[in-house]
């Protein structure tokens, strides 16, 4: 008899809301992050900050040189592992941009949030999309993770 499949242990997620706009629950963030991390999620800590366009724009300009708000920014933490505590990093998500993109793309709002959390977490563990091959690898991973979570392919046009 084979042993049962290991269950994914969700990372600890701290959520800070800087806006009143709707955002998913802490449990949803943890579930989506755990799915993106796979076995790497046990003992990890993730901070999610939900912000307004002005704060997103300021951070995007300072860190990426792009003077506009963006959907998600990822800030990985390196070298701070102490015992059982292993910080993963921070995600800064602009609720207004997420809502506008979901509407424009004809996607359910919760599906777009899930996609951006998975996307941001993958950045935290080293995925990027600077080169075409890396972008394809990251998109394949996002599609697979979202499918396991019950969400459709985020790269298929809905409108």
């Amino acid at each position: 008899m084979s042993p049962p499949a290991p269950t994914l242990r969700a990372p600890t997620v701290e959520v800070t809301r800087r806006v009143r706009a709707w955002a998913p629950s802490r449990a949803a963030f943890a579930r989506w992050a755990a799915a993106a991390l796979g076995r790497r999620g046990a003992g990890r800590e993730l901070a999610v900050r939900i912000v307004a366009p002005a704060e997103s724009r300021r951070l995007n300009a300072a860190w990426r040189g792009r003077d506009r708000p963006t959907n998600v920014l990822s800030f990985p933490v390196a070298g701070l592992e102490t015992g059982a505590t292993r910080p993963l990093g921070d995600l800064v998500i602009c609720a207004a941009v997420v809502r506008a993109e979901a509407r424009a793309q004809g996607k359910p709002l919760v599906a777009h949030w899930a996609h951006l959390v998975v996307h941001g977490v993958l950045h935290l563990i080293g995925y990027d999309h600077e080169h075409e091959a890396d972008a394809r690898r990251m998109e394949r991973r996002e599609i697979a993770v979202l499918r396991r979570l019950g969400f459709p392919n985020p790269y298929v046009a809905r409108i």
Side-chain angles (χ1 to χ4, degrees), residues 6-159:
T7 57
L8 297 179
R9 193 167 137 226
T12 301
V13 177
E14 175 187 318
V15 178
T16 304
R17 298 169 191 267
R18 303 282 295 165
V19 295
R20 292 180 189 249
W22 180 86
S25 68
R26 187 198 59 75
F29 287 125
R31 185 173 60 253
W32 301 335
L37 291 167
R39 293 188 178 130
R40 292 177 258 199
R44 301 309 298 251
E45 294 179 343
L46 171 68
V48 178
R49 184 176 175 95
I50 303 162
V51 301
E55 185 171 354
S56 176
R57 179 181 181 178
R58 181 180 56 76
L59 291 168
N60 200 24
W63 292 97
R64 297 179 65 227
R66 297 179 180 170
D67 191 21
R68 65 179 185 272
T70 190
N71 50 26
V72 62
L73 292 166
S74 301
F75 297 97
V77 174
L80 293 178
E81 296 186 12
T82 58
T85 301
R86 297 181 6 221
L88 181 61
D90 298 354
L91 297 181
V92 177
I93 304 174
C94 181
V97 171
V98 174
R99 185 176 52 251
E101 288 176 347
R103 187 176 304 131
Q105 296 169 19
K107 297 177 182 178
L109 183 56
V110 69
H112 198 44
W113 272 95
H115 176 214
L116 294 175
V117 170
V118 168
H119 183 89
V121 168
L122 290 178
H123 275 305
L124 293 176
I125 61 173
Y127 283 76
D128 71 45
H129 42 79
E130 295 302 313
H131 304 295
E132 188 63 34
D134 294 331
R136 284 192 307 271
R137 177 177 170 254
M138 186 171 184
E139 286 178 13
R140 282 192 306 269
R141 173 76 178 188
E142 289 171 307
I143 292 164
V145 169
L146 290 165
R147 183 181 307 123
R148 283 194 304 274
L149 289 167
F151 294 107
N153 180 339
Y155 296 103
V156 173
R158 304 280 180 241
I159 294 180

